[in-house]
Amino acid sequence: MKYRRIATLKSSDEFAEYAAALGLNLPCDHEVQSGPGAPLAQPYRLDERVIGNRFCALPMEGWDGMPNGQPTDLTARRWENFGRSGAKLIWGGEAVAVRHDGRSNPRQLLLTEANLSSLESLRKSLVAAHRSKYGRTDDLLVGLQLTHAGHFARPSLNDRLEPRILYHHPLLDRRFGIPPDYLVMSDSEIEEIIGDFVQAAQWAQQIGFDFVDIKHCHGYLGHEFLSAVERPGCYGGSFENRTRFLRDVVRGTRAEVSGLLIGVRLSAFDFVPFRKCASDGLGEPEPIKLPYPFAFGGDGSGVGYDLTEPIRFLELLRTLDVLLVCITAGSPYYNPHIQRPALFPPCDGYKPPEDPLVGVARQIAVTATLRTRFPDLCIVGSAYTYLQEYLPNVAQAVVRTGKADFVGLGRVLLPYPDLPSDILSGKELDHRRLCRTFSDCTTAPRYRLISGCYPLDPFYRKRPEAELLEQLKRSKTPYLAPKIAKVKI
Ligand SMILES: Cc1cc2nc3c(=O)[nH]c(=O)nc-3n(C[C@H](O)[C@H](O)[C@H](O)COP(=O)(O)O)c2cc1C
Ligand code: SF4
């Protein structure tokens, strides 16, 4: 299947025509404004805080922390780049595990008492980079994303999955080799993890973060609760039970900490796991029995969305006074094309089963529906990177017409951290640094290498891992999925 490359579209009009020909209703402004009056430069008031513009740096891990969970120079470089980007909302920096067994990889950052000063330095380095370029930080809001990897925990060894599961998922069990007698987490273990999140939130505030994100996306633990429809007991089944984890973390945090803002990054819809079609390499949904119950925000078909429950979820956030919400979708492990639309798949992925613009438009449309319904929440959208040359046009149209409060930027910031500042100042975009969705930043960690933009960031291009990655890709080294730990939990 051939999709038109964005770089071949010569103007915003041609881009809009192409999107329309795909049947997409993508907002797109013809001209992008710059300077203080520009829609994307408008400050946003959040309670007593003012956030200086409408760009948000999305969390992105680099698989480059120390084995003990402290950041390295590579981590600091990425955070400094986020600070330098000009985005005034920093959504969490990257996922930081609240306990060792909740790390998604052995190099994920870990929030422990022993690591507090190094994580504080990380935040300070971001803030200092921002101050040195923009002269002020009173309008910068910096959060920390708190996570437990749950199903995808791989805390100790790169090639050993140690899943902490809430229920047996027939498709994911098969894909990741989880046997039927593998232990499901007990309610009392969940209570312990809730305590860890609360403790982590306290520490995050102690080291100066403005907010914490109680991560509920991408198949990790918080997200898995939302689809635990078949789990018995007080954390599964009804909507009330599936959101108990969230409520308990928020209430516990509020009881222990005052003045810390709380946010949630939510996969607002999910699809069935996709697999690579043996004949053409395109992604195709795993065969399922209908209705498919394990996709939070799904319509039962496995490939469509229904926002009834996500809307209830946002209503709940509002009653809990959780005003910061970042919308994303799906999971990078089993349906990456809906989560981070890309033309070129990562090594464990599949060719895009739809034009990646469709994936971008889907996230924008869902975010717009939620934003319209909850104008009092501060809503951040995701998945803009694939828009490339036309990212500014779409971003401006989205914010100008109230389809999101913030435009979240992920991959594009890896090779081109100055993008927000270039847009806001009206500088011509540096086309050589626009992410073309080559997916090396996902492929590298799949091969157990540090993540980074190897194709476009000279800093990574010069590193020894770049050559290694090329060799692995050239030799078509098969991606070896991690094996399930033999240990009984
Ligand atoms: C290398 C890499 C690391 C990521 N790490 C995280 C993470 O730690 N937490 C998170 O919520 N999302 C993470 N994401 C997802 C991004 O935040 C974002 O949702 C996704 O890339 C889509 O946005 P984009 O199209 O602007 O890239 C990561 C994505 C990439 C490519
Ligand atoms: S490796 Fe670079 S170009 Fe490729 S998807 Fe990641 S950020 Fe984009």
Side-chain angles (χ1 to χ4, degrees):
M1 212 173 281
K2 283 252 182 289
Y3 307 121
R4 184 96 189 256
R5 291 197 187 196
I6 299 295
T8 67
L9 299 166
K10 293 297 170 225
S11 66
S12 59
D13 287 343
E14 211 180 309
F15 169 79
E17 274 164 33
Y18 179 61
L22 291 171
L24 304 175
N25 186 13
L26 253 186
C28 177
D29 281 354
H30 182 67
E31 294 286 338
V32 178
Q33 297 172 46
S34 56
L40 290 164
Q42 295 317 297
Y44 181 92
R45 183 168 283 284
L46 180 75
D47 275 350
E48 276 138 44
R49 296 288 303 257
V50 172
I51 308 173
N53 62 40
R54 301 310 185 95
F55 281 113
C56 168
L58 294 175
M60 269 180 299
E61 287 181 77
W63 288 259
D64 53 14
M66 313 254 271
N68 65 4
Q70 292 183 4
T72 58
D73 290 349
L74 292 172
T75 326
R77 177 182 183 267
R78 190 170 51 258
W79 282 56
E80 282 163 23
N81 279 345
F82 289 163
R84 225 172 269 127
S85 72
K88 290 285 188 182
L89 177 57
I90 309 292
W91 192 284
E94 65 187 87
V96 177
V98 300
R99 49 192 270 158
H100 174 75
D101 71 8
R103 291 169 90 185
S104 65
N105 67 81
R107 304 196 70 173
Q108 186 170 48
L109 300 186
L110 181 61
L111 189 46
T112 60
E113 194 156 22
N115 291 350
L116 288 185
S117 67
S118 62
L119 290 168
E120 182 173 24
S121 305
L122 194 59
R123 182 192 63 77
K124 284 184 170 165
S125 65
L126 181 155
V127 173
H130 190 84
R131 187 181 295 110
S132 84
K133 186 159 171 194
Y134 303 101
R136 62 185 286 195
T137 56
D138 57 309
D139 58 352
L140 176 71
L141 200 76
V142 186
L144 188 66
Q145 184 176 61
L146 303 182
T147 188
H148 186 295
H151 214 113
F152 300 104
R154 206 192 319 166
S156 309
L157 293 173
N158 268 322
D159 56 1
R160 197 174 75 189
L161 267 181
E162 298 177 39
R164 310 299 317 276
I165 56 173
L166 296 174
Y167 64 92
H168 279 279
H169 184 302
L171 301 171
L172 295 180
D173 276 13
R174 196 174 64 215
R175 183 170 293 194
F176 295 100
I178 299 177
D181 61 347
Y182 196 81
L183 274 189
V184 164
M185 220 188 269
S186 68
D187 287 358
S188 62
E189 285 170 306
I190 293 171
E191 281 157 24
E192 222 181 87
I193 291 175
I194 290 169
D196 294 325
F197 269 86
V198 172
Q199 173 65 77
Q202 273 177 277
W203 280 332
Q205 187 187 43
Q206 196 181 313
I207 58 176
F209 285 94
D210 299 307
F211 71 95
V212 287
D213 162 23
I214 313 298
K215 185 172 186 176
H216 274 68
C217 59
H218 303 163
Y220 297 113
L221 189 71
H223 187 210
E224 192 181 348
F225 275 108
L226 302 180
S227 63
V229 286
E230 292 181 353
R231 182 186 166 94
C234 64
Y235 292 100
S238 67
F239 178 80
E240 203 207 341
N241 284 351
R242 285 181 281 125
T243 52
R244 188 177 306 281
F245 167 78
L246 167 77
R247 291 198 308 278
D248 288 356
V249 172
V250 172
R251 286 190 188 132
T253 302
R254 291 262 157 75
E256 298 297 331
V257 193
S258 71
L260 178 71
L261 293 167
I262 300 179
V264 167
R265 190 158 201 228
L266 173 70
S267 278
F269 62 91
D270 199 2
F271 283 3
V272 72
F274 271 57
R275 65 183 187 189
K276 188 174 180 169
C277 170
S279 60
D280 55 14
L282 284 174
E284 62 178 15
E286 292 262 12
I288 45 163
K289 216 168 73 205
L290 295 173
Y292 178 71
F294 305 118
F296 177 74
D299 65 0
S301 71
V303 290
Y305 62 82
D306 171 354
L307 298 182
T308 311
E309 282 215 329
I311 285 171
R312 277 184 82 184
F313 187 85
L314 264 61
E315 272 160 5
L316 173 63
L317 291 180
R318 187 161 59 189
T319 56
L320 293 171
D321 205 26
V322 171
L323 303 180
L324 283 160
V325 185
C326 182
I327 301 298
T328 171
S331 165
Y333 295 102
Y334 55 82
N335 48 27
H337 73 287
I338 66 165
Q339 197 250 346
R340 47 183 83 157
L343 199 54
F344 306 98
C347 61
D348 61 340
Y350 42 78
K351 288 189 205 155
E354 61 187 10
D355 189 305
L357 263 192
V358 176
V360 176
R362 189 184 292 115
Q363 285 206 40
I364 289 179
V366 164
T367 306
T369 304
L370 296 172
R371 170 64 177 68
T372 309
R373 188 85 180 230
F374 298 94
D376 48 336
L377 297 180
C378 170
I379 297 203
V380 181
S382 306
Y384 286 81
T385 286
Y386 184 72
L387 294 164
Q388 303 164 58
E389 274 76 2
Y390 304 103
L391 188 155
N393 306 68
V394 174
Q396 177 177 292
V398 163
V399 166
R400 191 179 53 73
T401 57
K403 292 182 170 57
D405 296 300
F406 284 84
V407 168
L409 302 176
R411 290 162 295 178
V412 66
L413 291 186
L414 297 178
Y416 193 177
D418 320 305
L419 179 76
S421 101
D422 282 2
I423 296 172
L424 293 169
S425 62
K427 223 168 132 184
E428 201 183 323
L429 297 190
D430 183 346
H431 298 260
R432 292 161 313 165
R433 292 200 293 156
L434 281 173
C435 164
R436 302 298 179 187
T437 66
F438 295 127
S439 291
D440 278 9
C441 52
T442 306
T443 294
R446 297 292 190 258
Y447 284 132
R448 335 293 192 221
L449 300 173
I450 54 166
S451 175
C453 183
Y454 293 94
L456 302 182
D457 181 347
F459 177 86
Y460 281 93
R461 213 184 299 138
K462 282 193 233 127
R463 288 186 64 90
E465 292 90 348
E467 181 48 36
L468 197 54
L469 180 61
E470 272 320 299
Q471 281 172 19
L472 287 163
K473 283 168 49 183
R474 260 199 312 270
S475 65
K476 297 209 173 7
T477 302
Y479 162 69
L480 292 178
K483 294 273 182 307
I484 288 291
K486 292 277 184 294
V487 287
K488 280 273 183 210
I489 295 161

